[in-house]
Amino acid sequence: MKIVLDCFGGDLCPQSAIDGALLAVEENEGLHITLCGDEKVIADYLKNKVYDLQKISILNAPEVITNDDVPTMAIRRKKDSSMVVALKALANGEFDGMVSSGNTGALLVGASILVKLIDGVQRASLSPLLPTIEENKNTILVDGGANVDCKASMLREFAIMGEAYMKAVCGIKYPKVALLNNGAEEEKGNALTKEAHELLKNTDINFIGNIEARDFLTGVADVIVTDGFAGNMCLKTAEGMGKAIFTLLKSYILQGGLRAKLGYLLLKPSLRKLKKIMSSDSVGGGVFLGVKKVVVKAHGASNATAFKNAIMRADEMTKANLPEKIEEALKDKTIA
Amino acid sequence: MKIVLDCFGGDLCPQSAIDGALLAVEENEGLHITLCGDEKVIADYLKNKVYDLQKISILNAPEVITNDDVPTMAIRRKKDSSMVVALKALANGEFDGMVSSGNTGALLVGASILVKLIDGVQRASLSPLLPTIEENKNTILVDGGANVDCKASMLREFAIMGEAYMKAVCGIKYPKVALLNNGAEEEKGNALTKEAHELLKNTDINFIGNIEARDFLTGVADVIVTDGFAGNMCLKTAEGMGKAIFTLLKSYILQGGLRAKLGYLLLKPSLRKLKKIMSSDSVGGGVFLGVKKVVVKAHGASNATAFKNAIMRADEMTKANLPEKIEEALKDKTIA
């Protein structure tokens, strides 16, 4: 598999991206990674590294799209940026998949315009794979924030794409698909979710009905379908709540005297494990479903491990022929 | 102050409601509470209680509206229910405020139809007072779930009503009002929040702009304005996340052997404090803003303390003349 990696645009780039790539090729026999970005900077950083020269290439792209750039303008004007050069090479068939930690909006626009959408897809979704309280069980959230104004027919596509992902990449035979709603009962919802519920009921998927946001992380569903605005609310609330809990606990421990401090020391491994799950690499990043090739968004603050994981995911998805599977699923499930 | 208490419809009713009322009159000199519901059941329960007979009355209402009842139908047909009888007596001017832990939808419909909306209010909102990570600082969420399809002009009313609440009841001189959005930048948002942002900018309030859901509990704003669907997403995600964290921590402690168990014992007071804040009585209950009289919704699972707190809040709001203050604020802030 050939993956192109946008090495610029993230907070710790290019070092974290390059280190992540080196970790990924070390772990993965058949993987080849092309590092896209300013070749001088990349070559300079690679000088002191030991790696298999056959598995790493460089694709020169001196410009960088930053988070301050307006997405559409950036894609149109910064033609020599690492993101645009990588996207174009991906579109031309030079690579099987791409990973970037750059400007999310620009990546969405760029993937949709340059790599293009799968036939029958109205809009690409940005879908994070979420941790759940069940060990080794993930849920995919479609959409996690790319589309803040949705039609019910888009939510139907999200459901089909999410199902295809869980089948093809996670090997789940009959993924449970749920609609995120303000109540579990069928008659609950706003105008959008009521209409979407009807559509999902009549689509050939394993639709388990509405779930409330309190079930966001319980693993009751394999695929959670929502518009990007509500998806963003859930993701950001979960993030804020995680932070709030650790902040409060810290202040209680400080107020709690010696007893609490000792308790904290003894409980530290458990609390660390918890913190790690809660600030999971999955939250904030995700895959663009609906694009003709595999494009994975690593979160902006990705370190080398997060990049390695994102590359591994892109590799899994390309191996599973995810874009083709999504195209087939959408064709199969056209409403008569 | 004269408060009418709907003693039926909650999970632990009528016992918890009646006990809550007795606690409230004991703490509060000038308070009189009328217990509304089946008089035989209430009188029977009061038999063994010691209380000031001058401060407690009973209003007979043999029927009960349950959570399975369809709101509009229930209000129309169950004329002898504790909720409808209490609402009608409130509307007639027999009481200053009302507390109920019954069917939220029915209470919203009943308050809007029977007690009626303040002039200029399109829809009442259900607004919980949320805890924040800052000690003794609360944020009011308008709307917390009553209105799942909103127009921008409704969000403007929510902002004005929330501001009036924080001024009148919490004594905050210039409440900071924020719009819940998928990004902090002014240009971010879906169709609704973009339009609402423009309206709020041009309203005579202390509008601090958009905030993301990760700031839901940080106390950066005194009033958080949102449509009820997004508000529900945040409330329920926070609830689910709180539960998920404690569930995971418990399982890690069980896996962590003697060391973790000892740590847990030492840290128990801090963890309890945390759990108490996170499962705060505020979340799930709230006040209906926009109704001509004070109506407080205690959450369905309220125990006696939660009922007492809800009654105290209703008392505070009636003393502060909240409905009048909201009416004035809406008049003052009419767009020219």
Side-chain angles (χ1 to χ4, degrees), chain A residues 58-89:
Chain A
I58 300 177
L59 178 59
N60 187 36
E63 258 182 311
V64 177
I65 291 178
T66 70
N67 278 324
D68 297 327
D69 280 318
V70 177
T72 329
M73 301 275 274
I75 294 297
R76 208 178 300 157
R77 294 199 183 158
K78 290 193 165 176
K79 291 194 193 306
D80 290 330
S81 63
S82 54
M83 189 188 283
V84 171
V85 170
L87 282 166
K88 281 189 176 163

Short mmCIF file of all heavy atoms in Angstrom, two decimals, chain A residues 58-89:
data_model
loop_
_atom_site.label_atom_id
_atom_site.label_comp_id
_atom_site.label_asym_id
_atom_site.label_seq_id
_atom_site.Cartn_x
_atom_site.Cartn_y
_atom_site.Cartn_z
N ILE A 58 10.04 11.27 -0.71
CA ILE A 58 9.65 12.66 -0.44
C ILE A 58 8.98 13.24 -1.68
O ILE A 58 9.40 13.00 -2.81
CB ILE A 58 10.88 13.52 -0.07
CG1 ILE A 58 11.56 12.96 1.20
CG2 ILE A 58 10.47 14.98 0.17
CD1 ILE A 58 12.83 13.68 1.61
N LEU A 59 7.90 13.99 -1.46
CA LEU A 59 7.23 14.71 -2.55
C LEU A 59 7.29 16.18 -2.18
O LEU A 59 6.74 16.59 -1.15
CB LEU A 59 5.78 14.22 -2.65
CG LEU A 59 4.87 14.87 -3.70
CD1 LEU A 59 5.42 14.69 -5.11
CD2 LEU A 59 3.46 14.27 -3.61
N ASN A 60 7.97 16.96 -3.01
CA ASN A 60 8.21 18.36 -2.63
C ASN A 60 6.95 19.23 -2.76
O ASN A 60 6.22 19.16 -3.75
CB ASN A 60 9.33 18.95 -3.50
CG ASN A 60 9.72 20.34 -3.02
OD1 ASN A 60 9.72 20.61 -1.81
ND2 ASN A 60 10.06 21.23 -3.94
N ALA A 61 6.72 20.06 -1.75
CA ALA A 61 5.60 21.01 -1.73
C ALA A 61 5.96 22.08 -0.72
O ALA A 61 5.76 21.89 0.48
CB ALA A 61 4.31 20.30 -1.34
N PRO A 62 6.51 23.20 -1.19
CA PRO A 62 7.09 24.18 -0.27
C PRO A 62 6.08 24.99 0.55
O PRO A 62 6.42 25.51 1.61
CB PRO A 62 7.89 25.10 -1.20
CG PRO A 62 7.32 24.91 -2.56
CD PRO A 62 6.79 23.52 -2.60
N GLU A 63 4.82 25.08 0.09
CA GLU A 63 3.85 25.92 0.80
C GLU A 63 3.14 25.16 1.92
O GLU A 63 3.11 23.93 1.92
CB GLU A 63 2.78 26.42 -0.18
CG GLU A 63 2.97 27.87 -0.65
CD GLU A 63 1.84 28.27 -1.58
OE1 GLU A 63 1.56 27.51 -2.52
OE2 GLU A 63 1.26 29.33 -1.37
N VAL A 64 2.54 25.91 2.85
CA VAL A 64 1.78 25.29 3.94
C VAL A 64 0.41 25.95 4.07
O VAL A 64 0.31 27.19 4.04
CB VAL A 64 2.54 25.42 5.29
CG1 VAL A 64 1.70 24.84 6.44
CG2 VAL A 64 3.89 24.73 5.24
N ILE A 65 -0.64 25.16 4.22
CA ILE A 65 -1.97 25.70 4.56
C ILE A 65 -2.07 25.69 6.08
O ILE A 65 -1.86 24.66 6.72
CB ILE A 65 -3.10 24.84 3.94
CG1 ILE A 65 -3.09 25.02 2.41
CG2 ILE A 65 -4.46 25.23 4.51
CD1 ILE A 65 -4.13 24.20 1.67
N THR A 66 -2.35 26.86 6.66
CA THR A 66 -2.44 26.93 8.13
C THR A 66 -3.90 26.91 8.57
O THR A 66 -4.81 26.96 7.74
CB THR A 66 -1.80 28.24 8.65
OG1 THR A 66 -2.65 29.34 8.25
CG2 THR A 66 -0.41 28.45 8.08
N ASN A 67 -4.10 26.87 9.88
CA ASN A 67 -5.47 26.86 10.40
C ASN A 67 -6.16 28.20 10.24
O ASN A 67 -7.38 28.29 10.38
CB ASN A 67 -5.47 26.42 11.87
CG ASN A 67 -5.41 24.91 11.99
OD1 ASN A 67 -6.00 24.20 11.18
ND2 ASN A 67 -4.68 24.43 12.97
N ASP A 68 -5.39 29.24 9.96
CA ASP A 68 -5.99 30.56 9.76
C ASP A 68 -6.48 30.75 8.33
O ASP A 68 -7.21 31.70 8.04
CB ASP A 68 -4.98 31.67 10.09
CG ASP A 68 -4.58 31.62 11.56
OD1 ASP A 68 -5.44 31.25 12.39
OD2 ASP A 68 -3.42 31.92 11.87
N ASP A 69 -6.08 29.86 7.43
CA ASP A 69 -6.50 30.00 6.03
C ASP A 69 -7.98 29.68 5.86
O ASP A 69 -8.51 28.77 6.52
CB ASP A 69 -5.69 29.04 5.14
CG ASP A 69 -4.31 29.59 4.81
OD1 ASP A 69 -4.22 30.80 4.51
OD2 ASP A 69 -3.33 28.83 4.85
N VAL A 70 -8.64 30.42 5.00
CA VAL A 70 -10.04 30.13 4.66
C VAL A 70 -10.03 28.92 3.70
O VAL A 70 -9.36 28.97 2.67
CB VAL A 70 -10.71 31.35 3.99
CG1 VAL A 70 -12.14 31.03 3.58
CG2 VAL A 70 -10.68 32.55 4.95
N PRO A 71 -10.74 27.84 4.07
CA PRO A 71 -10.64 26.58 3.32
C PRO A 71 -10.69 26.70 1.80
O PRO A 71 -9.74 26.31 1.11
CB PRO A 71 -11.82 25.77 3.88
CG PRO A 71 -11.91 26.22 5.29
CD PRO A 71 -11.59 27.69 5.26
N THR A 72 -11.78 27.23 1.25
CA THR A 72 -11.93 27.24 -0.21
C THR A 72 -10.81 28.03 -0.88
O THR A 72 -10.24 27.59 -1.89
CB THR A 72 -13.29 27.88 -0.60
OG1 THR A 72 -14.23 27.60 0.44
CG2 THR A 72 -13.80 27.33 -1.90
N MET A 73 -10.49 29.19 -0.31
CA MET A 73 -9.42 30.03 -0.86
C MET A 73 -8.09 29.30 -0.81
O MET A 73 -7.30 29.34 -1.76
CB MET A 73 -9.28 31.30 -0.01
CG MET A 73 -10.53 32.13 0.07
SD MET A 73 -10.61 33.21 -1.36
CE MET A 73 -9.62 34.57 -0.71
N ALA A 74 -7.83 28.64 0.30
CA ALA A 74 -6.54 27.96 0.49
C ALA A 74 -6.35 26.87 -0.56
O ALA A 74 -5.29 26.76 -1.17
CB ALA A 74 -6.47 27.36 1.89
N ILE A 75 -7.40 26.09 -0.79
CA ILE A 75 -7.31 25.00 -1.76
C ILE A 75 -7.11 25.55 -3.17
O ILE A 75 -6.34 25.04 -3.97
CB ILE A 75 -8.58 24.10 -1.70
CG1 ILE A 75 -8.66 23.37 -0.35
CG2 ILE A 75 -8.63 23.11 -2.86
CD1 ILE A 75 -7.53 22.42 -0.06
N ARG A 76 -7.79 26.66 -3.47
CA ARG A 76 -7.69 27.25 -4.80
C ARG A 76 -6.34 27.92 -5.03
O ARG A 76 -5.77 27.81 -6.11
CB ARG A 76 -8.83 28.26 -4.98
CG ARG A 76 -9.24 28.42 -6.44
CD ARG A 76 -10.40 29.39 -6.59
NE ARG A 76 -11.57 28.96 -5.85
CZ ARG A 76 -12.55 29.80 -5.46
NH1 ARG A 76 -12.46 31.09 -5.70
NH2 ARG A 76 -13.59 29.33 -4.80
N ARG A 77 -5.86 28.62 -4.01
CA ARG A 77 -4.68 29.47 -4.24
C ARG A 77 -3.35 28.84 -3.85
O ARG A 77 -2.32 29.12 -4.46
CB ARG A 77 -4.84 30.78 -3.46
CG ARG A 77 -6.00 31.57 -4.04
CD ARG A 77 -5.93 33.01 -3.65
NE ARG A 77 -7.09 33.71 -4.18
CZ ARG A 77 -7.56 34.85 -3.71
NH1 ARG A 77 -6.93 35.43 -2.70
NH2 ARG A 77 -8.61 35.43 -4.24
N LYS A 78 -3.33 28.04 -2.79
CA LYS A 78 -2.05 27.49 -2.34
C LYS A 78 -1.77 26.17 -3.06
O LYS A 78 -1.78 25.09 -2.46
CB LYS A 78 -2.06 27.32 -0.82
CG LYS A 78 -2.03 28.67 -0.08
CD LYS A 78 -1.71 28.50 1.39
CE LYS A 78 -1.31 29.81 2.05
NZ LYS A 78 -1.09 29.66 3.50
N LYS A 79 -1.52 26.29 -4.35
CA LYS A 79 -1.37 25.11 -5.20
C LYS A 79 -0.10 24.32 -4.88
O LYS A 79 0.00 23.14 -5.20
CB LYS A 79 -1.36 25.53 -6.67
CG LYS A 79 -2.73 26.04 -7.14
CD LYS A 79 -2.80 26.11 -8.64
CE LYS A 79 -4.01 26.91 -9.13
NZ LYS A 79 -5.30 26.44 -8.57
N ASP A 80 0.87 24.97 -4.26
CA ASP A 80 2.11 24.28 -3.91
C ASP A 80 2.16 23.85 -2.45
O ASP A 80 3.23 23.52 -1.93
CB ASP A 80 3.32 25.19 -4.21
CG ASP A 80 3.53 25.37 -5.71
OD1 ASP A 80 3.18 24.43 -6.46
OD2 ASP A 80 4.01 26.44 -6.12
N SER A 81 1.01 23.90 -1.80
CA SER A 81 0.99 23.50 -0.39
C SER A 81 1.05 21.98 -0.28
O SER A 81 0.64 21.25 -1.19
CB SER A 81 -0.28 24.00 0.28
OG SER A 81 -1.40 23.40 -0.33
N SER A 82 1.55 21.51 0.87
CA SER A 82 1.68 20.06 1.10
C SER A 82 0.33 19.37 0.99
O SER A 82 0.22 18.25 0.48
CB SER A 82 2.32 19.80 2.46
OG SER A 82 1.59 20.45 3.48
N MET A 83 -0.73 20.06 1.43
CA MET A 83 -2.04 19.43 1.39
C MET A 83 -2.55 19.28 -0.05
O MET A 83 -3.00 18.20 -0.45
CB MET A 83 -3.05 20.23 2.21
CG MET A 83 -4.38 19.51 2.40
SD MET A 83 -5.62 20.55 3.17
CE MET A 83 -5.10 20.53 4.89
N VAL A 84 -2.46 20.35 -0.83
CA VAL A 84 -2.99 20.32 -2.20
C VAL A 84 -2.16 19.38 -3.08
O VAL A 84 -2.72 18.59 -3.85
CB VAL A 84 -3.04 21.75 -2.80
CG1 VAL A 84 -3.37 21.70 -4.30
CG2 VAL A 84 -4.07 22.60 -2.07
N VAL A 85 -0.84 19.44 -2.94
CA VAL A 85 0.02 18.55 -3.74
C VAL A 85 -0.29 17.08 -3.42
O VAL A 85 -0.42 16.25 -4.32
CB VAL A 85 1.51 18.89 -3.49
CG1 VAL A 85 2.42 17.82 -4.11
CG2 VAL A 85 1.84 20.27 -4.06
N ALA A 86 -0.46 16.78 -2.14
CA ALA A 86 -0.76 15.40 -1.74
C ALA A 86 -2.12 14.97 -2.27
O ALA A 86 -2.28 13.86 -2.81
CB ALA A 86 -0.71 15.28 -0.22
N LEU A 87 -3.12 15.85 -2.14
CA LEU A 87 -4.48 15.52 -2.61
C LEU A 87 -4.49 15.26 -4.12
O LEU A 87 -5.13 14.32 -4.60
CB LEU A 87 -5.45 16.66 -2.27
CG LEU A 87 -5.94 16.73 -0.82
CD1 LEU A 87 -6.60 18.07 -0.54
CD2 LEU A 87 -6.90 15.58 -0.50
N LYS A 88 -3.75 16.11 -4.86
CA LYS A 88 -3.73 15.94 -6.33
C LYS A 88 -3.05 14.63 -6.73
O LYS A 88 -3.52 13.93 -7.63
CB LYS A 88 -3.02 17.13 -6.98
CG LYS A 88 -3.94 18.35 -7.07
CD LYS A 88 -3.31 19.46 -7.90
CE LYS A 88 -4.29 20.60 -8.06
NZ LYS A 88 -3.62 21.84 -8.51
N ALA A 89 -1.95 14.32 -6.04
CA ALA A 89 -1.25 13.07 -6.34
C ALA A 89 -2.14 11.86 -6.01
O ALA A 89 -2.16 10.86 -6.73
CB ALA A 89 0.05 13.00 -5.56
#
